[in-house]
Amino acid sequence: MASRLSTSNRAGWLMALPGFGLIVLFVILPFVLAFALSFTNQRLVSPNPTEWVGLSNYRALLGVGVLHLEPERDDAGNVVTDENGAPEYPRLRSFTRNNPDYPHLAGMSEWFFFDRGEGRTYVLASDVVFMRAIVNTLIFVAVVAPVQAGLALVLALLINQRLRGINLFRAIYFMPVVVSIVVVSLLWRFIYAEEGLLNNLLASLTFGAFDGPDWLGNPRTALGSVIAMSVWQAVGFHMVIWLSGLQTISPTLYEAGAIEGASRWQTFRYITWPGLRNTAVLILIVITMQAFALFAQIDVMTNGGPLDSTQTIVFQAVERGYGRQDISSGSTISVFLFVLVLSISLLQRWLTRERR
Amino acid sequence: MTRLTAASALAMLWATGAMAQTELTMWYHGAGNQVESEIVNRIIADFNASQSDWVVSIESFPQNAYNDAVVAAALAGDLPDILDVDGPIMPNWAWAGYLQPLPIEPTRIEAFLPGTKGVWNDQLYSVGLWDAAVALITRQSTLDALGLRTPTLEEPWTQEEFMGAMEAAKASGDYEYAIDLGMSDQSEWYPYAFLPFLWSFGGDLIDAESGYQTAEGVLNGEAALAFGEWWQGMFTEGYAPGPSQDPADHASGFQEGQYAFTWNGNWLALPFLEAFDDVVFLPAPDFGNGNFIGAASWQFAVSGTTEHPEGGAAFIEFALKDEYLRDFSNGIGLIPPTPTAAAMTENYAEGGPMAVFYDLSEDQARLRPVFPGYPVAAKVFAKALTDIANGADVADSLDTAVDEIEADVQSNQGYGQQ
Amino acid sequence: MSVIDPSNRGLQLATRYVVLTLIAVIFAFPLVFMLVSSLKPDDQLLRDTASLRAFLPVGDLSLQNYYAAFDRAPVGTFILNSVLVTGVTVALSLFVCSMAAFAFVFLRWSGRDLVLGVILATLIVPFETIAIPLLLVVSKLPWIGLDGFSLGWLNTYRVQIVPFIADGLTIFLFVQYFKDLPGDLAEAARVEGASNWQIYRKVVMPLAGPVLATAAILKFLVMYNQYLWPLMVVQEEGRRPVMVGLQYFFQLNRAWGEIMAYLSMITVPVLAFYLYMQRSFIASIASTGVKG
């Protein structure tokens, strides 16, 4: 027994080592470097020596604060209102900039506010754009992961039947994946334009009753438009993974099901789905990872706008690291993303653990 | 020939049995542009044949990829001997040591347009073989139909006249939008094309008097706020398509009559001239503090790591001949830097269709702030303009931009400026 | 089970095809747009984008854009480079990753779960965020080649290949697939005295057809679409891949027709590879007649 375990040990390490070693050298080592950079002031283009700055990059990125303000009153003590009758508040900048009474709010700006009683409570953030990027990314993941996984499964089941010419369909459904994402994004910019294809199509379908919005130019529709396009683009990719999972289910099981007189739903519920368990785990994880890495579509279609409604975490990492030459801030974002996704996966795993 | 180069040339002769020449590598941003490549290659061939000290070899990159490639090479310690650099980026690269001062006599480029001389910290780092310019482009027939005065360099449109033109174009109902500002092109276009408007209002990207340390008061002062309100109005009033503009419309909208005016660069002028025979190039309007356009385009420089700056300088000096300046201008429509070269060109000679650009460039052109923090400040500026165009609060957006620029300057220890 | 009457069956079949075709229309249009646009002159192409004409081969059609694309850039070189880099990476990746996955699923060894956990965690790291540190790493790496010892991997094929051979996703694909294979297969072979290597080669891999095809396709796509990395590490035009080449066409005056022509040409290898893999994918299932 002992000898068998030790051979296994050697064989296991030997066979895993080429892959693991390459990953250590080309993924983990750079990531560790990025981790180290996040504690420095390293710039992309600069002659200045690198210095350790502790956690200041993290503070600059994630700092939040709260400020409660009373509306401005005139000398008589009445609330000053603007032309719409809404109470006026002092400018936040007078608190967040060069104000010795509020040192903890220095450099912050408004993220959102809510009215409470007479006054108004502002939630401030050191980096509002990044906060919006986090929220947008989470929305994107929460929508895309289930929708894309579900649609991909439906497509895979649809395509996994014996029909003449099915290979043609299989190939066509994969088309958006094959064409580079840059091109697909460019094409969708044409489609989503105010006088573009989508609005023209919707207008003619509704006999002119529908006056479509400027899909990518409106903060309310932009993220939704990116989501729809992304699902459409990548669903074929996951269809292929589902397909390979479907192939591992033995035909004899289906034959047995047919003999038992199982309905279509029963066949799916009791034969197909259990056989796809490992594939489902794989797909959910892969989609989640890819959704968190959302970048190319944003880069080509919206640049994070309008009004930050499509900022995402990775877009911000690239924008800062390369665009604004702030490689330490970009690294800080990648470390943050790593910790965020890791915690979500561990939580997910804990919630879906097998209870015995 | 210095002793060092003689020695290394000798060593090469020994090693290869070839000619006693030192090899210089050069990077250029024009891959994919055949006309440009052909001219650059010809200059290199002429240079290599003209003397026996140096052999220049070129590697061209596509423009969109060029800056990233240079930064990556610098990080990896792999810069070439000669490279070209976009004018406003030059101080950034010079500061970081990517470039070294260019050993060329100032008298050699005395006659050059100011936008083609890359001077930072009182030292010449780069020289351009052309400059670019922006103009308010429309058709004479449009001006006539809308009953508008033709503005001149001496008497440009005032803000009222410009807004009157916008309103007239809108009211005519003949156009989808009065003007195409090029909002779909979210690159260096924003600071290059729109900073001049801010200047004309009396603001600036950063306060030069503070030694480029802060933008407080210039990017969010009274003048800048007025600029911001005006800018937002261009979109809320429906005069111009916003940042979500369809790139197809930007590419062909003016030719198809969707826009009455277009605020555009002279590198795009050739298609306009082909489409209409009455295209006119008008100077920028004066919003109260003079009228401006951005200056400086791509320029040649020697890298900070090259062992042969004098070789690089010899090549660049060679390339500054009027005949090459003429060829570039004829080939890609850009402005030749000297009057003598301009006189030799098709478009910029006296009476040529684009001669007005030479005058624009001479009269109106102003350099974008010459300091190493420009690339970051320009990004910040572009974002503020995008947000304001999309309806964000003007004062807040400009304040945020000021804060971001200042934070960047601080984290770079002031960019070494005083 | 109900009796199936032929007309009903025919109707059902027709419905299926209608559904499949409708979905196909939704997915086919980028490719159609690309191909159709590649035949149109720029002004017409741009005009057509606002209507369904964008997908119809109408108007002034010619191959002019293709000729122009070849004039503008060494298209053949780019495609060859990409196919070479992608092909080599895919082949090595399938081998290295499937072997690692085999070790994770069929062998017991100390440190196994930890190593697998670490590899899976690397899935979270988007490439864009480690590109600069990776550049610093490869610019310092040694190499011993035919021309002797050298330092730094820039401007080579290997710098485009080696860092991408092993990746978490591919290993994970194989692991999840191997878990579905019956474990007693390997046990039986082991009892008969087969070595681990033999079990991997002779027992497991012959059953891995579908996942090999899937992993190959996915890896192919990732590698073929590389842009940021080759841009940073390859300076010679002769070694550039297709996506960097695409930038040749994004000049200040964008030549949309040429862009579409170029894209149509560089899409051919991907399409061919996918179709080939799809066929071998089906063939492999037919021959192994997989298992439960």
Side-chain angles (χ1 to χ4, degrees):
Chain A
M1 193 65 209
S3 73
R4 196 180 143 189
L5 203 68
S6 71
T7 23
S8 240
N9 252 344
R10 219 178 68 200
W13 274 104
L14 268 179
M15 295 181 90
L17 201 59
F20 185 56
L22 287 167
I23 286 180
V24 167
L25 190 56
F26 294 114
V27 183
I28 296 176
L29 178 60
F31 183 75
V32 170
L33 279 175
F35 184 73
L37 286 179
S38 75
F39 299 102
T40 70
N41 65 353
Q42 178 71 47
R43 309 283 303 187
L44 186 63
V45 178
S46 170
N48 293 333
T50 309
E51 288 167 16
W52 294 102
V53 295
L55 287 172
S56 79
N57 286 319
Y58 290 87
R59 271 197 297 275
L61 207 58
L62 301 170
V64 282
V66 179
L67 180 65
H68 185 79
L69 291 183
E70 297 295 327
E72 301 222 41
R73 289 171 194 280
D74 55 21
D75 298 335
N78 295 320
V79 172
V80 180
T81 57
D82 62 11
E83 63 263 37
N84 299 324
E88 283 195 6
Y89 290 91
R91 251 180 100 62
L92 278 177
R93 209 168 131 86
S94 57
F95 296 92
T96 57
R97 227 181 124 86
N98 303 328
N99 189 330
D101 298 335
Y102 296 87
H104 60 291
L105 298 180
M108 291 193 177
S109 43
E110 174 186 339
W111 182 9
F112 58 88
F113 66 82
F114 47 88
D115 289 321
R116 202 174 54 185
E118 272 280 83
R120 175 172 285 184
T121 303
Y122 288 92
V123 175
L124 309 170
S126 303
D127 196 328
V128 178
V129 173
F130 188 64
M131 290 299 147
R132 297 201 181 116
I134 297 174
V135 173
N136 292 336
T137 308
L138 291 176
I139 294 174
F140 184 83
V141 172
V143 176
V144 165
V147 171
Q148 190 162 292
L151 281 179
L153 178 58
V154 171
L155 286 181
L157 291 170
L158 209 59
I159 216 80
N160 195 36
Q161 49 187 340
R162 284 175 195 282
L163 272 182
R164 189 173 290 273
I166 197 75
N167 284 342
L168 180 68
F169 292 107
R170 203 177 279 195
I172 291 175
Y173 293 0
F174 199 64
M175 287 300 91
V177 190
V178 171
V179 182
S180 132
I181 181 78
V182 176
V183 184
V184 167
S185 304
L186 270 174
L187 172 61
W188 278 79
R189 251 180 100 167
F190 292 134
I191 293 175
Y192 278 142
E194 197 164 5
E195 302 292 326
L197 193 60
L198 181 62
N199 281 340
N200 285 343
L201 206 65
L202 290 174
S204 61
L205 283 178
T206 56
F207 303 103
F210 185 83
D211 185 22
D214 178 3
W215 295 97
L216 294 174
N218 186 330
R220 278 203 295 278
T221 52
L223 185 62
S225 305
V226 172
I227 289 177
M229 175 268 179
S230 305
V231 168
W232 168 87
Q233 194 268 335
V235 73
F237 183 97
H238 301 287
M239 176 190 81
V240 169
I241 305 185
W242 279 122
L243 266 179
S244 89
L246 284 173
Q247 308 300 342
T248 62
I249 301 169
S250 163
T252 52
L253 285 176
Y254 286 112
E255 283 158 23
I259 291 167
E260 301 270 326
S263 72
R264 241 188 223 183
W265 168 248
Q266 285 169 326
T267 312
F268 175 77
R269 175 72 188 77
Y270 296 105
I271 300 174
T272 312
W273 184 244
L276 288 175
R277 200 173 171 281
N278 284 328
T279 314
V281 172
L282 170 81
I283 285 198
L284 264 186
I285 291 182
V286 171
I287 291 185
T288 310
M289 304 299 169
Q290 287 178 339
F292 269 111
L294 173 63
F295 168 70
Q297 295 95 305
I298 302 295
D299 193 37
V300 180
M301 290 167 73
T302 67
N303 254 309
L307 300 183
D308 299 328
S309 60
T310 58
Q311 294 286 1
T312 68
I313 296 177
V314 176
F315 182 77
Q316 274 300 307
V318 174
E319 172 69 17
R320 281 156 207 241
Y322 300 81
R324 300 198 174 181
Q325 308 189 345
D326 191 350
I327 201 70
S328 59
S329 176
S331 300
T332 310
I333 294 179
S334 45
V335 172
F336 169 79
L337 177 68
F338 184 81
V339 172
L340 175 75
V341 179
L342 196 64
S343 344
I344 290 176
S345 336
L346 292 176
L347 185 73
Q348 211 177 23
R349 220 172 132 168
W350 182 74
L351 287 174
T352 59
R353 70 194 183 282
E354 286 168 42
R355 298 182 178 84
R356 293 200 175 139
Chain B
M1 198 194 261
T2 66
R3 185 173 300 175
L4 186 73
T5 43
S8 59
L10 200 67
M12 275 190 69
L13 180 72
W14 195 253
T16 62
M19 287 181 293
Q21 293 179 315
T22 305
E23 192 164 325
L24 299 172
T25 52
M26 168 175 152
W27 287 4
Y28 187 68
H29 77 278
N33 188 327
Q34 296 110 303
V35 184
E36 230 174 306
S37 300
E38 191 265 323
I39 302 170
V40 172
N41 288 336
R42 186 149 41 82
I43 298 176
I44 291 174
D46 290 354
F47 176 73
N48 289 345
S50 75
Q51 41 72 51
S52 53
D53 295 338
W54 317 103
V55 184
V56 173
S57 64
I58 186 174
E59 198 59 74
S60 284
F61 296 75
Q63 176 164 346
N64 289 341
Y66 182 76
N67 286 355
D68 292 334
V70 169
V71 170
L75 284 177
D78 206 22
L79 282 175
D81 299 298
I82 309 168
L83 66 169
D84 75 335
V85 52
D86 196 5
I89 308 286
M90 178 276 290
N92 186 245
W93 288 5
W95 169 67
Y98 293 13
L99 308 177
Q100 56 180 294
L102 187 57
I104 288 185
E105 286 303 314
T107 49
R108 177 67 188 83
I109 53 168
E110 222 163 18
F112 277 53
L113 285 174
T116 57
K117 301 179 198 172
V119 178
W120 176 63
N121 271 0
D122 300 327
Q123 281 185 302
L124 180 74
Y125 279 88
S126 54
V127 183
L129 272 57
W130 61 80
D131 202 353
V134 172
L136 187 62
I137 302 171
T138 186
R139 303 175 59 185
Q140 187 58 48
S141 52
T142 307
L143 288 177
D144 296 343
L146 299 177
L148 300 168
R149 173 179 78 88
T150 304
T152 60
L153 275 175
E154 293 73 34
E155 210 180 327
W157 276 347
T158 61
Q159 182 172 3
E160 289 75 50
E161 280 182 293
F162 177 73
M163 295 318 287
M166 295 296 107
E167 190 50 44
K170 185 185 174 186
S172 74
D174 296 338
Y175 308 99
E176 263 173 54
Y177 289 98
I179 187 171
D180 171 22
L181 292 169
M183 298 296 285
S184 69
D185 183 0
Q186 283 155 352
S187 55
E188 181 60 22
W189 174 251
Y190 273 48
Y192 175 63
F194 307 140
L195 200 50
F197 294 142
L198 175 60
W199 288 334
S200 185
F201 270 93
D204 205 342
L205 176 62
I206 188 159
D207 187 3
E209 281 167 24
S210 73
Y212 301 104
Q213 298 299 300
T214 176
E216 184 77 38
V218 296
L219 186 52
N220 60 352
E222 288 298 320
L225 285 172
F227 157 79
E229 296 294 344
W230 164 79
W231 177 251
Q232 193 158 51
M234 289 299 291
F235 306 95
T236 50
E237 299 295 324
Y239 295 137
S244 64
Q245 180 191 29
D246 185 340
D249 291 341
H250 177 49
S252 60
F254 179 72
Q255 294 94 307
E256 289 178 5
Q258 288 177 32
Y259 310 118
F261 297 89
T262 175
W263 178 242
N264 230 323
N266 60 336
W267 55 93
L268 287 172
L270 294 174
F272 298 152
L273 290 169
E274 276 165 34
F276 304 117
D277 55 9
D278 64 342
V279 175
V280 285
F281 302 99
L282 310 178
D286 181 348
F287 292 100
N289 279 277
N291 59 334
F292 302 101
I293 56 172
S297 181
W298 289 83
Q299 304 173 346
F300 288 83
V302 289
S303 79
T305 51
T306 179
E307 288 166 15
H308 310 288
E310 73 286 5
F315 171 75
I316 294 170
E317 224 177 314
F318 183 85
L320 296 178
K321 289 182 180 160
D322 276 345
E323 53 172 304
Y324 300 131
L325 306 181
R326 174 202 62 199
D327 291 348
F328 266 113
S329 174
N330 287 345
I332 46 184
L334 294 161
I335 305 171
T338 65
T340 41
M344 294 157 71
T345 62
E346 296 156 13
N347 293 319
Y348 296 91
E350 203 61 38
M354 294 204 276
V356 59
F357 275 113
Y358 190 87
D359 302 333
L360 284 178
S361 194
E362 208 172 20
D363 263 48
Q364 295 191 309
R366 175 166 161 182
L367 287 171
R368 287 157 272 182
V370 184
F371 83 116
Y374 175 80
V376 180
K379 281 251 165 199
V380 172
F381 179 71
K383 179 160 187 338
L385 286 202
T386 311
D387 287 348
I388 293 173
N390 279 324
D393 184 86
V394 172
D396 285 348
S397 302
L398 293 175
D399 283 344
T400 306
V402 167
D403 289 347
E404 285 180 4
I405 289 175
E406 214 172 294
D408 178 67
V409 170
Q410 275 168 14
S411 68
N412 282 288
Q413 283 110 57
Y415 282 111
Q417 307 267 340
Q418 278 81 49
Chain C
M1 256 172 121
S2 61
V3 182
I4 301 162
D5 88 312
S7 68
N8 190 5
R9 201 184 140 81
L11 191 71
Q12 216 185 15
L13 201 65
T15 320
R16 279 191 192 182
Y17 275 113
V18 169
V19 171
L20 287 170
T21 309
L22 282 178
I23 300 176
V25 169
I26 297 175
F27 286 112
F29 72 85
L31 201 72
V32 173
F33 171 79
M34 199 172 79
L35 288 172
V36 167
S37 299
S38 73
L39 302 170
K40 296 177 182 173
D42 277 7
D43 51 340
Q44 190 203 333
L45 187 164
L46 293 171
R47 246 194 332 271
D48 286 354
T49 55
S51 70
L52 284 176
R53 287 172 62 92
F55 305 106
L56 300 175
V58 289
D60 182 11
L61 304 179
S62 75
L63 288 176
Q64 186 48 44
N65 289 326
Y66 287 84
Y67 298 129
F70 274 104
D71 281 343
R72 189 185 291 276
V75 180
T77 310
F78 295 155
I79 294 181
L80 267 179
N81 284 336
S82 272
V83 168
L84 175 76
V85 165
T86 304
V88 173
T89 314
V90 168
L92 291 172
S93 172
L94 291 182
F95 171 62
V96 167
C97 295
S98 66
M99 192 165 70
F102 174 86
F104 289 125
V105 176
F106 293 102
L107 301 177
R108 259 196 310 171
W109 41 287
S110 53
R112 179 183 71 170
D113 293 345
L114 179 70
V115 171
L116 183 59
V118 169
I119 288 178
L120 293 187
T122 64
L123 277 173
I124 306 173
V125 182
F127 178 75
E128 287 89 356
T129 64
I130 57 163
I132 298 274
L134 182 59
L135 172 71
L136 299 177
V137 171
V138 298
S139 66
K140 306 273 187 302
L141 282 178
W143 182 261
I144 297 167
L146 293 175
D147 48 354
F149 181 83
S150 59
L151 210 59
W153 284 22
L154 299 187
N155 230 350
T156 57
Y157 284 120
R158 67 175 173 271
V159 76
Q160 303 183 62
I161 294 174
V162 182
F164 304 98
I165 290 174
D167 70 291
L169 176 59
T170 310
I171 292 179
F172 193 33
L173 269 172
F174 278 107
V175 164
Q176 294 300 91
Y177 185 88
F178 286 166
K179 278 188 189 166
D180 280 338
L181 294 179
D184 43 343
L185 276 177
E187 276 316 308
R190 192 163 285 141
V191 169
E192 283 172 26
S195 71
N196 287 321
W197 175 249
Q198 283 168 326
I199 299 170
Y200 165 74
R201 282 273 294 120
K202 302 269 170 58
V203 181
V204 173
M205 287 320 279
L207 293 174
V211 69
L212 277 172
T214 309
I217 291 166
L218 302 188
K219 190 81 191 179
F220 191 100
L221 286 170
V222 172
M223 290 306 295
Y224 199 75
N225 287 320
Q226 288 270 14
Y227 169 70
L228 180 63
W229 184 246
L231 171 81
M232 288 166 54
V233 296
V234 178
Q235 287 125 20
E236 270 172 43
E237 182 173 65
R239 295 215 164 97
R240 282 182 199 152
V242 290
M243 281 300 148
V244 176
L246 177 60
Q247 290 295 344
Y248 279 55
F249 297 87
F250 283 84
Q251 299 291 326
L252 293 171
N253 280 314
R254 281 189 192 168
W256 291 99
E258 286 179 48
I259 291 176
M260 295 303 162
Y262 178 74
L263 289 168
S264 302
M265 287 188 277
I266 67 172
T267 305
V268 169
V270 197
L271 212 55
F273 185 78
Y274 175 68
L275 293 176
Y276 171 75
M277 275 300 157
Q278 187 177 276
R279 274 179 62 187
S280 71
F281 177 91
I282 292 156
S284 76
I285 295 158
S287 68
T288 55
V290 199
K291 68 242 155 206

